[in-house]
C-alpha cells in the first residue's frame, strides 16, 4: 500500500538523477498481474488472469474466497504465483485477527481503517505469520510478498507509540523470509530493500505524483543482481511514458511494470509474450 507520508521531494530525483549503471547484469522484464490490491480502481480478476497472464508474476490474495482453487491453473500458463501477506499489520477481516489483536495498536492505521499496526513483535505474532506462510506453501504458491514490511519506522513508531524497535522489525521480517525459503518459496520485498538485501525481488509502489521516492541505489543493486524488480504504478495519465521514464532512469529494460490507467480505470500490463495489451 502506497505510503503517502514519504517526502515528496524524493520524486524530483527521478528527473534530476544521473541514472543507473548500464554495465550491470540485466533483470528480466515480465508481465505483472495483481489480484491482491489496487489503489484507486479495480484489481485484476481471476478470470482476466486465467485468460491473459502468461509467463508473468501473478500476485493473489490466497485467503480471499475462491482464489486458492485457481492457483494451479494460473501456474499452467508459466506464471509465477505469489501470495500476499501483511507482515506489519493485523487486518480485522482475517480469521487470525483475534490472535494478533493483543500485540496490535488499539488505533487503526489512518490510511487503511481495517488495519492495525503490529506494536509488539512477539513469538505469537511470528507464529501467526508462519501459519499463513505454511498455508501458502501447501497451496502451491512460489513467492510470498510481504506488505507493510516498512511499517515500524521512526515516524510511525512515534505517531502510534509502537513498542518494538525498527531493528527488531528488520530481524522479524528476515526471520519470516528465512522461513519462507525453508518452505520452498521466494521472498518479495515491498517498497524497501535496506536491511533486506537477501530478498529475491522487490515491488515498489509509485504514482503520478510520487515517482522514485525510495532508495534508488537499492533498486540498482537488485537490478544488477538480476533479481525481479517490479514497479506497481498508480493513478497515471500516460502509462507508456511513465514506464519509459523508469527504464530510462535506471538504464535497464529489465524493470517489470504494471500501471493503473486513469482513463481505463484498471491496470495496464506490459511485457506480454505477444506484446498484446488488453
Amino acid at each position: 500500500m502506497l505510503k503517502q507520508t514519504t517526502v515528496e521531494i524524493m520524486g524530483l530525483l527521478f528527473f534530476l538523477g544521473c541514472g543507473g549503471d548500464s554495465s550491470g547484469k540485466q533483470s528480466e522484464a515480465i508481465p505483472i498481474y495483481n489480484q491482491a490490491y489496487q489503489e484507486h480502481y479495480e484489481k485484476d480478476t481471476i478470470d482476466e488472469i486465467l485468460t491473459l497472464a502468461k509467463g508473468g508474476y501473478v500476485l493473489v490474495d490466497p485467503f480471499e474466497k475462491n482464489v486458492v482453487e485457481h492457483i494451479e491453473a494460473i501456474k499452467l500458463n508459466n506464471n509465477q504465483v505469489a501470495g500476499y501477506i501483511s507482515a506489519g499489520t493485523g487486518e480485522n477481516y482475517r480469521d487470525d485477527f483475534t490472535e494478533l489483536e493483543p500485540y496490535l495498536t488499539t488505533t487503526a492505521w489512518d490510511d487503511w481503517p481495517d488495519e492495525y499496526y503490529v506494536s509488539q513483535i512477539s513469538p505469537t505474532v511470528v507464529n501467526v505469520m508462519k501459519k499463513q506462510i505454511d498455508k501458502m506453501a501447501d497451496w502451491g504458491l512460489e513467492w510470498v510478498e510481504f506488505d507493510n514490511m516498512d511499517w515500524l519506522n521512526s515516524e510511525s513508531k512515534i505517531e502510534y507509540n509502537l513498542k518494538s524497535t525498527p531493528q527488531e522489525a528488520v530481524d522479524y521480517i528476515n526471520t519470516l523470509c528465512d522461513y519462507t525459503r525453508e518452505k520452498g518459496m521466494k521472498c518479495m520485498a515491498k517498497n524497501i530493500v535496506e536491511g533486506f538485501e537477501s530478498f529475491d525481488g522487490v515491488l515498489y509502489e509509485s504514482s503520478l505524483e510520487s515517482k522514485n521516492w525510495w532508495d534508488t541505489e537499492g533498486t540498482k543493486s537488485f537490478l544488477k543482481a538480476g533479481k525481479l524488480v517490479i514497479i506497481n504504478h498508480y493513478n497515471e495519465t500516460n502509462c507508456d511514458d511513465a514506464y519509459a521514464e523508469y527504464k530510462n532512469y535506471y538504464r535497464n529494460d529489465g524493470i517489470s511494470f504494471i500501471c493503473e490507467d486513469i482513463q481505463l480505470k484498471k491496470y495496464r500490463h506490459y511485457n506480454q509474450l505477444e506484446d498484446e495489451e488488453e
Side-chain angles (χ1 to χ4, degrees), residues 169-183:
V170 170
D171 294 342
Y172 156 71
I173 296 294
N174 280 318
T175 295
L176 294 180
C177 179
D178 290 343
Y179 187 74
T180 296
R181 291 211 181 92
E182 290 174 15
K183 291 293 179 174

Side-chain angles (χ1 to χ4, degrees), residues 75 79-83 136 140-144 184-187:
K75 289 166 66 175
N79 294 303
Q80 305 170 55
V81 186
M136 288 190 270
L141 292 160
E142 297 154 293
W143 291 77
V144 175
M185 297 178 290
K186 295 179 180 180
C187 303

Side-chain angles (χ1 to χ4, degrees), residues 82-97:
Y84 166 94
I85 182 173
S86 182
T89 71
E91 300 161 313
N92 63 14
Y93 48 87
R94 304 292 189 186
D95 292 341
D96 53 19
F97 180 76

Side-chain angles (χ1 to χ4, degrees), residues 39-69:
E39 191 78 2
H40 298 96
Y41 306 115
E42 294 299 320
K43 57 191 179 183
D44 292 323
T45 67
I46 291 293
D47 286 344
E48 289 171 332
I49 290 167
L50 288 169
T51 302
L52 299 168
K54 296 178 177 64
Y57 173 92
V58 178
L59 177 67
V60 300
D61 185 343
F63 302 102
E64 281 191 11
K65 186 178 179 181
N66 301 326
V67 170
V68 170
E69 62 195 72

Side-chain angles (χ1 to χ4, degrees), residues 64-197:
E64 281 191 11
K65 186 178 179 181
N66 301 326
V67 170
V68 170
E69 62 195 72
H70 298 291
I71 289 173
E72 290 305 317
I74 295 170
K75 289 166 66 175
L76 286 176
N77 282 326
N78 197 31
N79 294 303
Q80 305 170 55
V81 186
Y84 166 94
I85 182 173
S86 182
T89 71
E91 300 161 313
N92 63 14
Y93 48 87
R94 304 292 189 186
D95 292 341
D96 53 19
F97 180 76
T98 54
E99 287 185 76
L100 290 172
E101 195 168 12
Y103 308 96
L104 306 176
T105 56
T106 55
T107 303
W109 184 4
D110 288 343
D111 293 339
W112 301 95
D114 292 332
E115 298 191 44
Y116 297 77
Y117 281 133
V118 172
S119 177
Q120 181 65 57
I121 298 166
S122 70
T124 298
V125 172
V126 173
N127 287 334
V128 167
M129 297 299 169
K130 284 184 175 181
K131 288 177 186 176
Q132 292 186 21
I133 292 168
D134 288 341
K135 289 179 180 178
M136 288 190 270
D138 291 342
W139 291 332
L141 292 160
E142 297 154 293
W143 291 77
V144 175
E145 185 171 306
F146 292 88
D147 197 13
N148 302 316
M149 57 188 280
D150 55 345
W151 91 100
L152 217 162
N153 52 54
S154 56
E155 181 181 339
S156 61
K157 181 171 175 59
I158 294 171
E159 182 177 354
Y160 291 90
N161 193 29
L162 305 181
K163 295 177 182 178
S164 291
T165 67
Q167 185 57 53
E168 286 173 332
V170 170
D171 294 342
Y172 156 71
I173 296 294
N174 280 318
T175 295
L176 294 180
C177 179
D178 290 343
Y179 187 74
T180 296
R181 291 211 181 92
E182 290 174 15
K183 291 293 179 174
M185 297 178 290
K186 295 179 180 180
C187 303
M188 179 63 69
K190 185 80 175 288
N191 289 325
I192 183 171
V193 298
E194 306 96 308
F196 308 107
E197 289 82 4

